[in-house]
Amino acid sequence: MTRSFTDPNEFKKLRVGTFSEKVFSLIDMELIKRDSFFFEIAQKFGDLFYNKYGNQANEHEKVMKSANSFAEIVLEKSASMVNMNNTYKKVLKDVKDFLSFLKDCLIEFIKLVSISATGDSSLVPKERTVKRLAAKLVFGRNSCYDTLWMLIRLQHKEDEKRLKSCLTKLKHYTPKQFHVDDDFCLKKEEEPYQQVIDSINYLETFTNPYDKFDLIVRIRKEIVRCIDEYYLFKEPTKNSDKLQLTADTLMAVYCYCLANCCNEKMRIHQVLIEEFVDDHYLKFGEEGYYYSTFMGAIDFLESISDNPEAGLNQIGGRKA
């Protein structure tokens, strides 16, 4: 049985001026509990999603493993691949449709709580904020995420293979080889920017595309933390106050960290993020800038994978 929601008196204690933010926080905490109504319907969707697509995902995976290249699959398993493409489109549409339905339901529910507490139905968070809450409910560690992850990997297998090959070639390059400015090479560190590299690999632990997005945006802060700690403990006599982490240097550090984490699944994380995170986060403000810069670093690494030395020398030539 679905339990009742929080005591309405909790909401009535809030001043109207702060209602929207605080009530949404309370609703957020309530809805992710396992016996809330919205949690239950999200779980039911996950079960239905797995029943509809789980076996197909497993069958497509067997086909992919039986062939050595994408071209071979097209030649020998063309019917299966057409089926895979159609399945992939349906999968994305089904998840997006359910997220949209859940978002609309949540907005109406929050309006009801708002009216009950204040008599005002206009105190509702922005739509993109409610979308985040819907995603939190849908993308828990459940059969929906696991099936979706498998199908995205199958659809983008060639992207994954290409990125793996690229990162393997560049894995042992140093910050200096990526033309990171001397002040940011952290030369006295055995493994420069290791905290950043670990953070990138931590993406695997998140199932919610918004959490993946947030982590990528935070990578820039992790870089700054590594730099600050380096000068605090390894070169305390050097004046680091005037150091400026320029856009070019940030891109070079991103490239170094991505190459050394050797996470060939980055394109799969990217697909999940760009299919399901609201465009406002991806395209505007600091968050959008740092996300696009990070993904631009992946694009650059892939573009130089055939001849890394020549590609990196181009950076050096531009910075000289």
Side-chain angles (χ1 to χ4, degrees):
M1 178 182 290
T2 302
R3 70 180 181 83
S4 61
F5 196 70
T6 297
D7 182 353
N9 290 326
E10 284 293 316
F11 302 119
K12 292 177 181 178
K13 295 175 186 175
L14 303 173
R15 291 179 301 166
V16 172
T18 60
F19 177 83
S20 181
E21 180 182 343
K22 290 188 176 181
V23 78
F24 185 76
S25 178
L26 286 169
I27 290 171
D28 188 351
M29 289 187 291
E30 286 291 322
L31 294 185
I32 61 173
K33 293 179 179 176
R34 288 188 172 274
D35 50 358
S36 79
F37 168 72
F38 286 100
F39 181 90
E40 286 186 4
I41 62 171
Q43 290 298 301
K44 178 58 70 174
F45 171 77
D47 294 340
L48 293 171
F49 185 86
Y50 176 76
N51 290 337
K52 184 175 181 180
Y53 293 114
N55 289 333
Q56 292 182 55
N58 291 328
E59 287 301 314
H60 289 312
E61 186 177 32
K62 289 177 185 176
V63 170
M64 299 293 267
K65 286 181 177 178
S66 70
N68 294 322
S69 69
F70 200 71
E72 183 180 334
I73 297 172
V74 172
L75 291 171
E76 298 182 10
K77 309 286 184 179
S78 56
S80 179
M81 285 309 302
V82 169
N83 189 27
M84 170 65 201
N85 290 333
N86 291 336
T87 298
Y88 181 71
K89 292 175 184 176
K90 290 177 184 176
V91 163
L92 294 181
K93 184 178 185 303
D94 281 357
V95 176
K96 289 178 181 179
D97 286 349
F98 182 72
L99 280 167
S100 179
F101 162 76
L102 192 59
K103 179 259 299 177
D104 291 342
C105 290
L106 285 167
I107 288 174
E108 293 305 312
F109 176 72
I110 294 169
K111 283 181 182 177
L112 289 174
V113 175
S114 175
I115 292 170
S116 173
T118 68
D120 187 347
S121 64
S122 66
L123 302 174
V124 178
K126 292 176 180 175
E127 184 173 298
R128 62 177 178 269
T129 306
V130 183
K131 283 182 179 180
R132 286 189 72 121
L133 178 53
K136 182 187 288 188
L137 288 163
V138 171
F139 290 107
R141 179 64 74 179
N142 58 37
S143 51
C144 174
Y145 175 81
D146 294 338
T147 304
L148 182 61
W149 175 261
M150 183 187 298
L151 285 166
I152 291 175
R153 286 195 71 187
L154 290 171
Q155 181 71 9
H156 295 273
K157 183 177 179 181
E158 288 303 298
D159 294 333
E160 190 173 310
K161 284 168 62 178
R162 185 166 54 250
L163 184 58
K164 182 177 181 179
S165 172
C166 163
L167 297 180
T168 300
K169 292 177 184 177
L170 297 165
K171 184 174 183 180
H172 299 293
Y173 278 47
T174 64
K176 188 68 174 175
Q177 287 174 291
F178 279 99
H179 296 279
V180 174
D181 290 342
D182 285 346
D183 288 333
F184 299 99
C185 282
L186 313 189
K187 295 175 183 177
K188 294 183 180 180
E189 290 280 14
E190 269 188 53
E191 297 176 322
Y193 298 103
Q194 188 58 46
Q195 293 163 264
V196 179
I197 293 165
D198 292 341
S199 291
I200 294 172
N201 285 326
Y202 201 62
L203 275 168
E204 305 295 315
T205 67
F206 292 117
T207 59
N208 185 347
Y210 282 91
D211 291 336
K212 294 177 187 288
F213 171 78
D214 289 342
L215 187 148
I216 289 173
V217 170
R218 289 197 303 271
I219 292 297
R220 190 257 182 188
K221 290 184 178 178
E222 289 288 338
I223 290 171
V224 171
R225 185 179 296 114
C226 284
I227 295 165
D228 288 344
E229 290 178 358
Y230 175 81
Y231 281 103
L232 179 63
F233 296 110
K234 295 295 177 76
E235 292 195 44
T237 60
K238 187 168 182 176
N239 182 8
S240 60
D241 292 341
K242 295 183 179 180
L243 292 180
Q244 288 190 335
L245 185 62
T246 65
D248 284 344
T249 300
L250 179 62
M251 175 68 85
V253 175
Y254 276 157
C255 287
Y256 164 77
C257 293
L258 282 163
N260 278 267
C261 80
C262 212
N263 188 338
E264 71 272 12
K265 297 174 188 172
M266 285 305 307
R267 288 299 190 197
I268 315 304
H269 295 300
Q270 181 182 7
V271 171
L272 269 167
I273 290 168
E274 294 181 5
E275 289 288 351
F276 297 109
V277 171
D278 187 89
D279 277 353
H280 179 87
Y281 297 103
L282 299 175
K283 296 179 180 179
F284 299 101
E286 274 194 1
E287 292 177 324
Y289 172 75
Y290 291 130
Y291 175 77
S292 61
T293 303
F294 184 87
M295 289 304 167
I298 299 176
D299 294 337
F300 173 73
L301 291 176
E302 284 194 340
S303 74
I304 66 169
S305 60
D306 290 337
N307 193 342
E309 290 287 348
L312 291 174
N313 284 335
Q314 288 177 13
I315 301 180
R318 288 200 302 270
K319 293 176 74 175

